[in-house]
PDB file of all heavy atoms in Angstrom:
ATOM      1  N   GLY L  45      -5.666  39.485 -15.195  1.00 97.00           N
ATOM      2  CA  GLY L  45      -6.623  38.389 -15.102  1.00 97.00           C
ATOM      3  C   GLY L  45      -7.188  38.043 -16.466  1.00 97.00           C
ATOM      4  O   GLY L  45      -7.284  36.872 -16.845  1.00 97.00           O
ATOM      5  N   ARG L  46      -7.500  39.080 -17.234  1.00 97.00           N
ATOM      6  CA  ARG L  46      -8.048  38.850 -18.574  1.00 97.00           C
ATOM      7  C   ARG L  46      -7.025  38.122 -19.453  1.00 97.00           C
ATOM      8  O   ARG L  46      -7.357  37.190 -20.178  1.00 97.00           O
ATOM      9  CB  ARG L  46      -8.436  40.204 -19.183  1.00 97.00           C
ATOM     10  CG  ARG L  46      -9.213  40.083 -20.469  1.00 97.00           C
ATOM     11  CD  ARG L  46      -9.745  41.441 -20.894  1.00 97.00           C
ATOM     12  NE  ARG L  46     -10.674  41.999 -19.915  1.00 97.00           N
ATOM     13  CZ  ARG L  46     -10.939  43.308 -19.786  1.00 97.00           C
ATOM     14  NH1 ARG L  46     -10.334  44.190 -20.569  1.00 97.00           N
ATOM     15  NH2 ARG L  46     -11.804  43.727 -18.883  1.00 97.00           N
ATOM     16  N   MET L  47      -5.768  38.562 -19.348  1.00 97.00           N
ATOM     17  CA  MET L  47      -4.714  37.919 -20.138  1.00 97.00           C
ATOM     18  C   MET L  47      -4.612  36.435 -19.774  1.00 97.00           C
ATOM     19  O   MET L  47      -4.573  35.563 -20.641  1.00 97.00           O
ATOM     20  CB  MET L  47      -3.387  38.645 -19.861  1.00 97.00           C
ATOM     21  CG  MET L  47      -2.210  38.226 -20.714  1.00 97.00           C
ATOM     22  SD  MET L  47      -1.331  36.764 -20.091  1.00 97.00           S
ATOM     23  CE  MET L  47      -0.621  37.395 -18.560  1.00 97.00           C
ATOM     24  N   ALA L  48      -4.602  36.136 -18.467  1.00 97.00           N
ATOM     25  CA  ALA L  48      -4.478  34.739 -18.038  1.00 97.00           C
ATOM     26  C   ALA L  48      -5.676  33.923 -18.525  1.00 97.00           C
ATOM     27  O   ALA L  48      -5.518  32.807 -19.043  1.00 97.00           O
ATOM     28  CB  ALA L  48      -4.370  34.668 -16.509  1.00 97.00           C
ATOM     29  N   GLU L  49      -6.851  34.465 -18.385  1.00 97.00           N
ATOM     30  CA  GLU L  49      -8.069  33.744 -18.771  1.00 97.00           C
ATOM     31  C   GLU L  49      -8.142  33.511 -20.279  1.00 97.00           C
ATOM     32  O   GLU L  49      -8.529  32.441 -20.743  1.00 97.00           O
ATOM     33  CB  GLU L  49      -9.306  34.536 -18.319  1.00 97.00           C
ATOM     34  CG  GLU L  49      -9.469  34.582 -16.800  1.00 97.00           C
ATOM     35  CD  GLU L  49     -10.438  35.665 -16.326  1.00 97.00           C
ATOM     36  OE1 GLU L  49     -11.055  36.352 -17.175  1.00 97.00           O
ATOM     37  OE2 GLU L  49     -10.575  35.841 -15.095  1.00 97.00           O
ATOM     38  N   GLU L  50      -7.769  34.534 -21.038  1.00 97.00           N
ATOM     39  CA  GLU L  50      -8.000  34.475 -22.486  1.00 97.00           C
ATOM     40  C   GLU L  50      -6.819  33.964 -23.284  1.00 97.00           C
ATOM     41  O   GLU L  50      -6.998  33.377 -24.351  1.00 97.00           O
ATOM     42  CB  GLU L  50      -8.419  35.864 -22.998  1.00 97.00           C
ATOM     43  CG  GLU L  50      -9.757  36.292 -22.404  1.00 97.00           C
ATOM     44  CD  GLU L  50     -10.152  37.714 -22.764  1.00 97.00           C
ATOM     45  OE1 GLU L  50      -9.435  38.361 -23.548  1.00 97.00           O
ATOM     46  OE2 GLU L  50     -11.187  38.173 -22.237  1.00 97.00           O
ATOM     47  N   VAL L  51      -5.619  34.192 -22.773  1.00 96.00           N
ATOM     48  CA  VAL L  51      -4.435  33.816 -23.557  1.00 96.00           C
ATOM     49  C   VAL L  51      -3.797  32.523 -23.054  1.00 96.00           C
ATOM     50  O   VAL L  51      -3.453  31.649 -23.853  1.00 96.00           O
ATOM     51  CB  VAL L  51      -3.392  34.968 -23.525  1.00 96.00           C
ATOM     52  CG1 VAL L  51      -2.104  34.542 -24.219  1.00 96.00           C
ATOM     53  CG2 VAL L  51      -3.975  36.216 -24.165  1.00 96.00           C
ATOM     54  N   LEU L  52      -3.658  32.420 -21.736  1.00 97.00           N
ATOM     55  CA  LEU L  52      -2.911  31.276 -21.204  1.00 97.00           C
ATOM     56  C   LEU L  52      -3.787  30.051 -20.951  1.00 97.00           C
ATOM     57  O   LEU L  52      -3.407  28.922 -21.275  1.00 97.00           O
ATOM     58  CB  LEU L  52      -2.189  31.683 -19.915  1.00 97.00           C
ATOM     59  CG  LEU L  52      -1.106  32.736 -20.127  1.00 97.00           C
ATOM     60  CD1 LEU L  52      -0.509  33.146 -18.789  1.00 97.00           C
ATOM     61  CD2 LEU L  52      -0.012  32.189 -21.039  1.00 97.00           C
ATOM     62  N   TYR L  53      -4.934  30.263 -20.346  1.00 97.00           N
ATOM     63  CA  TYR L  53      -5.803  29.123 -20.017  1.00 97.00           C
ATOM     64  C   TYR L  53      -6.068  28.230 -21.237  1.00 97.00           C
ATOM     65  O   TYR L  53      -6.022  27.001 -21.117  1.00 97.00           O
ATOM     66  CB  TYR L  53      -7.107  29.615 -19.391  1.00 97.00           C
ATOM     67  CG  TYR L  53      -8.057  28.503 -19.053  1.00 97.00           C
ATOM     68  CD1 TYR L  53      -7.821  27.676 -17.954  1.00 97.00           C
ATOM     69  CD2 TYR L  53      -9.171  28.257 -19.847  1.00 97.00           C
ATOM     70  CE1 TYR L  53      -8.682  26.634 -17.664  1.00 97.00           C
ATOM     71  CE2 TYR L  53     -10.030  27.222 -19.556  1.00 97.00           C
ATOM     72  CZ  TYR L  53      -9.788  26.407 -18.464  1.00 97.00           C
ATOM     73  OH  TYR L  53     -10.641  25.374 -18.184  1.00 97.00           O
ATOM     74  N   PRO L  54      -6.310  28.827 -22.421  1.00 96.00           N
ATOM     75  CA  PRO L  54      -6.586  27.962 -23.579  1.00 96.00           C
ATOM     76  C   PRO L  54      -5.443  27.034 -23.995  1.00 96.00           C
ATOM     77  O   PRO L  54      -5.687  26.059 -24.695  1.00 96.00           O
ATOM     78  CB  PRO L  54      -6.905  28.968 -24.703  1.00 96.00           C
ATOM     79  CG  PRO L  54      -7.366  30.203 -23.988  1.00 96.00           C
ATOM     80  CD  PRO L  54      -6.543  30.248 -22.732  1.00 96.00           C
ATOM     81  N   VAL L  55      -4.203  27.342 -23.589  1.00 97.00           N
ATOM     82  CA  VAL L  55      -3.100  26.454 -24.005  1.00 97.00           C
ATOM     83  C   VAL L  55      -2.621  25.527 -22.886  1.00 97.00           C
ATOM     84  O   VAL L  55      -1.658  24.792 -23.050  1.00 97.00           O
ATOM     85  CB  VAL L  55      -1.892  27.252 -24.583  1.00 97.00           C
ATOM     86  CG1 VAL L  55      -2.335  28.062 -25.801  1.00 97.00           C
ATOM     87  CG2 VAL L  55      -1.243  28.149 -23.541  1.00 97.00           C
ATOM     88  N   GLN L  56      -3.357  25.556 -21.740  1.00 96.00           N
ATOM     89  CA  GLN L  56      -2.921  24.768 -20.574  1.00 96.00           C
ATOM     90  C   GLN L  56      -2.735  23.284 -20.891  1.00 96.00           C
ATOM     91  O   GLN L  56      -1.754  22.668 -20.491  1.00 96.00           O
ATOM     92  CB  GLN L  56      -3.951  24.920 -19.450  1.00 96.00           C
ATOM     93  CG  GLN L  56      -3.582  24.201 -18.166  1.00 96.00           C
ATOM     94  CD  GLN L  56      -4.589  24.484 -17.065  1.00 96.00           C
ATOM     95  OE1 GLN L  56      -5.792  24.406 -17.282  1.00 96.00           O
ATOM     96  NE2 GLN L  56      -4.105  24.833 -15.899  1.00 96.00           N
ATOM     97  N   ARG L  57      -3.702  22.697 -21.589  1.00 95.00           N
ATOM     98  CA  ARG L  57      -3.639  21.255 -21.853  1.00 95.00           C
ATOM     99  C   ARG L  57      -2.671  20.935 -22.991  1.00 95.00           C
ATOM    100  O   ARG L  57      -2.135  19.824 -23.057  1.00 95.00           O
ATOM    101  CB  ARG L  57      -5.034  20.715 -22.200  1.00 95.00           C
ATOM    102  CG  ARG L  57      -6.014  20.772 -21.050  1.00 95.00           C
ATOM    103  CD  ARG L  57      -5.742  19.724 -19.986  1.00 95.00           C
ATOM    104  NE  ARG L  57      -6.015  18.378 -20.461  1.00 95.00           N
ATOM    105  CZ  ARG L  57      -5.352  17.295 -20.059  1.00 95.00           C
ATOM    106  NH1 ARG L  57      -4.385  17.405 -19.174  1.00 95.00           N
ATOM    107  NH2 ARG L  57      -5.649  16.114 -20.528  1.00 95.00           N
ATOM    108  N   ASN L  58      -2.479  21.879 -23.895  1.00 94.00           N
ATOM    109  CA  ASN L  58      -1.637  21.611 -25.073  1.00 94.00           C
ATOM    110  C   ASN L  58      -0.260  21.097 -24.683  1.00 94.00           C
ATOM    111  O   ASN L  58       0.236  20.123 -25.247  1.00 94.00           O
ATOM    112  CB  ASN L  58      -1.424  22.887 -25.894  1.00 94.00           C
ATOM    113  CG  ASN L  58      -2.701  23.411 -26.509  1.00 94.00           C
ATOM    114  OD1 ASN L  58      -3.783  23.001 -26.103  1.00 94.00           O
ATOM    115  ND2 ASN L  58      -2.591  24.301 -27.465  1.00 94.00           N
ATOM    116  N   GLY L  59       0.339  21.786 -23.728  1.00 95.00           N
ATOM    117  CA  GLY L  59       1.697  21.432 -23.351  1.00 95.00           C
ATOM    118  C   GLY L  59       1.769  20.071 -22.696  1.00 95.00           C
ATOM    119  O   GLY L  59       2.763  19.362 -22.822  1.00 95.00           O
ATOM    120  N   ASP L  60       0.713  19.701 -22.001  1.00 96.00           N
ATOM    121  CA  ASP L  60       0.712  18.401 -21.343  1.00 96.00           C
ATOM    122  C   ASP L  60       0.574  17.281 -22.381  1.00 96.00           C
ATOM    123  O   ASP L  60       1.214  16.245 -22.277  1.00 96.00           O
ATOM    124  CB  ASP L  60      -0.436  18.320 -20.340  1.00 96.00           C
ATOM    125  CG  ASP L  60      -0.268  17.159 -19.374  1.00 96.00           C
ATOM    126  OD1 ASP L  60       0.796  17.097 -18.726  1.00 96.00           O
ATOM    127  OD2 ASP L  60      -1.180  16.328 -19.274  1.00 96.00           O
ATOM    128  N   LEU L  61      -0.272  17.511 -23.350  1.00 96.00           N
ATOM    129  CA  LEU L  61      -0.554  16.470 -24.335  1.00 96.00           C
ATOM    130  C   LEU L  61       0.531  16.399 -25.400  1.00 96.00           C
ATOM    131  O   LEU L  61       0.848  15.326 -25.903  1.00 96.00           O
ATOM    132  CB  LEU L  61      -1.920  16.727 -24.977  1.00 96.00           C
ATOM    133  CG  LEU L  61      -3.092  16.707 -23.985  1.00 96.00           C
ATOM    134  CD1 LEU L  61      -4.383  17.182 -24.645  1.00 96.00           C
ATOM    135  CD2 LEU L  61      -3.277  15.304 -23.417  1.00 96.00           C
ATOM    136  N   THR L  62       1.090  17.549 -25.746  1.00 96.00           N
ATOM    137  CA  THR L  62       2.142  17.584 -26.763  1.00 96.00           C
ATOM    138  C   THR L  62       3.352  18.272 -26.169  1.00 96.00           C
ATOM    139  O   THR L  62       3.464  19.490 -26.165  1.00 96.00           O
ATOM    140  CB  THR L  62       1.648  18.359 -28.015  1.00 96.00           C
ATOM    141  OG1 THR L  62       0.380  17.832 -28.419  1.00 96.00           O
ATOM    142  CG2 THR L  62       2.634  18.233 -29.153  1.00 96.00           C
TER     143      THR L  62
END
Side-chain angles (χ1 to χ4, degrees):
Chain L
R46 189 171 298 157
M47 187 275 293
E49 292 164 4
E50 296 174 4
V51 174
L52 295 176
Y53 179 74
V55 300
Q56 183 175 47
R57 294 286 291 148
N58 295 16
D60 195 55
L61 299 171
T62 309

